[in-house]
Amino acid sequence: MSQSDSRAKGRGRVHRGVFWITPAVAVAGGIAYLVASVLGGHPVLGVVLLLMMLAFAALLVLVAQHSETVRGLMDHRDERIAGIDLRATALTGVVLSLAVIAGAVVDLERGRSGTPYTWLAVVGGVTYIVSVVVQRVRQ
Amino acid sequence: MLYMHARAVGGPTSGASTMELVVTGNAVRELRVAKNLSQGDLAAALGVSRQTVNSIETGRYTPSLALSIALARFFGTTVEEVFHVAER
């Protein structure tokens, strides 16, 4: 096997691994919901939430078999769809940031402390700065 | 026409002027048809989706340098033969 063949095979493994990240996160989230709900005294709610997350994960895998876009979003093999995913993620981050700031403003206006919105804003801000620094060093 | 801009700027000590290139089109569809390939065939050969091949052919997406080189190599030509650029 040539070096390039070996690299190509390696990339295939990476893509297959990446494909399962979103369904795995959905399943892990469902299990976390179940555990938290049982501990909180609402086991039925936990089971319902777990089933919903399992159904979402299964739906993703199923749709990915038929949709190039969904498959591309999951395996990041297609650079154009990976770019679309990146821009959509960035826009989602901007909208969430605005929602967090709005939540903090409303909470402060009502005479409360602004938490947890202010802490979420801190997490978002620090994450952005660290990300910029890391990307700047790497590129 | 594609509106992807590539700007090559001389370093602070080079004294070179700014050169801005614009991708004005590409020959992907012509090259593909000449090889009697479908968009799906080309997509499979390049490891991208059929939608991406379509987007490149219609000028809605300008591929990365790596994919541009892969396209050129697939057709046995150069990147500049596949992608047409003009200086602004």
Side-chain angles (χ1 to χ4, degrees):
Chain A
M1 183 185 295
S2 73
Q3 199 176 1
S4 61
D5 289 342
S6 173
R7 276 199 299 269
K9 200 171 179 184
R11 281 198 300 271
R13 274 200 297 275
V14 169
H15 291 141
R16 275 196 295 277
V18 170
F19 178 88
W20 291 102
I21 286 178
T22 309
V25 168
V27 172
I31 292 169
Y33 286 151
L34 175 65
V35 171
S37 299
V38 169
L39 292 175
H42 302 284
V44 176
L45 175 64
V47 171
V48 170
L49 291 173
L50 173 62
L51 289 175
M52 286 175 67
M53 295 303 274
L54 288 174
F56 174 65
L59 187 68
L60 274 181
V61 174
L62 195 69
V63 173
Q65 311 306 314
H66 304 283
S67 165
E68 281 186 331
T69 303
V70 174
R71 190 163 58 248
L73 289 171
M74 290 171 70
D75 66 15
H76 280 211
R77 192 161 168 257
D78 184 299
E79 64 173 41
R80 174 178 144 272
I81 297 175
I84 289 170
D85 182 37
L86 195 65
R87 286 189 292 278
T89 303
L91 180 61
T92 304
V94 169
V95 171
L96 278 176
S97 299
L98 292 174
V100 165
I101 290 168
V105 168
V106 169
D107 208 50
L108 289 168
E109 186 270 333
R110 289 179 178 170
R112 293 193 289 257
S113 67
T115 54
Y117 302 106
T118 44
W119 280 111
L120 288 172
V122 169
V123 169
V126 170
T127 303
Y128 179 80
I129 291 167
V130 170
S131 179
V132 167
V133 170
V134 169
Q135 299 294 326
R136 178 66 185 83
V137 169
R138 290 175 63 180
Q139 296 181 17
Chain B
M1 178 186 288
L2 299 175
Y3 297 99
M4 182 68 184
H5 298 240
R7 181 176 283 185
V9 184
T13 57
S14 71
S17 60
T18 298
M19 179 175 68
E20 195 168 347
L21 298 176
V22 183
V23 179
T24 56
N26 69 72
V28 174
R29 188 184 297 271
E30 289 79 2
L31 291 164
R32 175 178 62 77
V33 170
K35 276 190 167 252
N36 205 24
L37 294 171
S38 68
Q39 289 183 340
D41 296 333
L42 180 57
L46 296 170
V48 298
S49 67
R50 189 202 57 76
Q51 296 168 357
T52 293
V53 170
N54 183 258
S55 291
I56 292 169
E57 287 187 356
T58 54
R60 284 182 288 119
Y61 176 66
T62 302
S64 67
L65 179 60
L67 183 52
S68 301
I69 292 172
L71 267 165
R73 286 188 178 177
F74 179 82
F75 291 120
T77 183
T78 63
V79 172
E80 286 187 319
E81 289 293 326
V82 179
F83 294 96
H84 310 142
V85 290
E87 235 175 283
R88 275 175 68 133

